[in-house]
Amino acid sequence: MSLWCVGRNPVDHIDQQDAFGSLREVQYYALRKQNVMTMQQTIDPAEPQTVPARATRAQFMAEDDKAMLRAARDLSKGLGEAKPAVYWPDMLLSAVLGYAGIAVAILSGNLAIQIAAGLVGSLAFYRALMFIHELTHIHRNALPGFRTGWNLLVGIPLLTPSFMYEGVHTIHHKRTQYGTIEDPEYLPLALMKPWSLPLFVVVALLAPVALLFRFAVLVPLGVIIPAVRRFTWQRLSSLSINPDFRRKAPEGAFGKRVRWQEAGASAWAIALLASPLAFGWRPLLIALAVLSLTALLNQLRTLVAHLWENEGEAMTVTAQFLDSVNVPPPGVVAEIWAPVGLRYHALHHLMPSMPYHDLPEAHRRLARELGTGSTYEGANHPGMLVLVGRIARSTMVKRAGRIPEG
C-alpha cells in the first residue's frame, strides 16, 4: 500500500478571500482546521499561551493525519535519487576503517591501543553494516554493483549477507503487518517485564558466535539433512526479533542470490574456525569481541528505534510513524549510534525508499512546514538515554493481562 494514498486536506475548502475581515484571522482559522487531527490542547485560563499536547500513536489508530502525509508527498519533490558518489565512498571508507581497526587490535602489543583500535573498528563496521538497510529499499537498478560489492566487502566477511534482511524488512513496512504478530521486527517491549529489556540487549553479544555456528556448521549439515536446512532457513536466516516469525523459502532470482551469498559465507566461516590452526586463537577471539560490540550497538539502536507500545493491532501509517523515533539535530551523538540515516527512523517509515543522504533535507522541510505542535513533531525525541528511560519505565507499570515473554 502506498504511503501517499491520502485523502482531502481539511483546509482545502477554506476561502482565503471570504468575509473573515483580515488575513490574520484567515490564517488563524486555517491553522486550527489543519491541526484539529494532529493534537489535543488543554486551555488554562490563567495561561493563555499553552503548549500543544504531543501527538501520540493512540490518537491515530483509526484515521491518518492526511495533511501530514500530503505534506510528506509534496515536500519530498526533488529528493529520492540514490547517489553513487555518496554511497560508495561512505561504505568503502567505513569498511576500510573497520578492517584497519581489527588489524591494529590484533597486531598491537599495547592494551590501550588495542582498546582504541577495537572501538574504532567496531564503530566503523557498525556503519558499514547498516548499509544492509539501504539495500532492502533502493531500487535494484539504482546503484549498479553496490549490492554485490557490499556483500563481498562487508556482508559475507562479517557473516551478515544481505539475504538475511532482504525480503524480511519489507514486511515490517507493510501497512497491515507492522506491529502485529506477523512483523518479524516487532515485539511489544514497552509492555513486557522489566528484566526483558537487559536480556534483549545483552543477548546481542552472542550474535557473532551464533552466526559463525550457523554458517560453518548448520549450512553444511543442511546440505545432507533436509530437516536441518528447513530449520536453519525458517528460524535462523533473518535479522528479526520476533521469535514466532518463520521465513518462507526463497524463490526466483532472490533464491539464486541466497545460494551464492550463503555458500560464500559458509566457506568463510569454515576458514575462520580453522584459522586457529595456523594463527592461534587470539586473532579470532579479538575479531569476535570487536564484532560483539558492533552487535551490541545495533541492539541498543533497535531498542530505541520504536516505542514498542503496540499490542498487536494493525495501525494506520500515522500511528506507525508515531510509534517510531526520530532523533534529529542539533545533537551529533545520534550520528554515531544511529548512522546511515537511522536517526530519522520515523521519517523513514513515511518515506521507505528515500535514500539516507536525503533524509536530513526531507526532515528540515517537513519540520519547517508543519511546525511546533504538529503530528510530525510528535515522533521527535532528544536522544537514546531518554528513550531507554521511557521504555524502561513503561515496563514497570502494572497492567492487567501483561504481554507474555515467551
Side-chain angles (χ1 to χ4, degrees), residues 113-125:
I113 293 177
Q114 285 180 307
I115 293 174
L119 180 59
V120 170
S122 181
L123 290 171
F125 272 141

Side-chain angles (χ1 to χ4, degrees), residues 97-120:
L97 285 175
Y99 288 118
I102 280 189
V104 172
I106 291 172
L107 298 174
S108 175
N110 184 294
L111 180 59
I113 293 177
Q114 285 180 307
I115 293 174
L119 180 59
V120 170

Side-chain angles (χ1 to χ4, degrees), residues 342-399:
L342 291 170
R343 70 183 303 171
Y344 300 103
H345 196 67
L347 177 57
H348 167 69
H349 273 261
L350 283 183
M351 307 174 175
S353 61
M354 183 68 66
Y356 78 100
H357 52 69
D358 280 346
L359 287 173
E361 176 59 25
H363 169 76
R364 285 190 289 269
R365 294 181 185 183
L366 283 166
R368 182 171 57 245
E369 176 71 16
L370 299 176
T372 302
S374 65
T375 303
Y376 185 78
E377 189 185 48
N380 294 340
H381 299 269
M384 177 184 284
L385 293 180
V386 173
L387 288 161
V388 171
R390 171 179 173 150
I391 296 171
R393 286 192 300 273
S394 180
T395 65
M396 298 174 190
V397 176
K398 291 185 178 181
R399 298 179 180 85

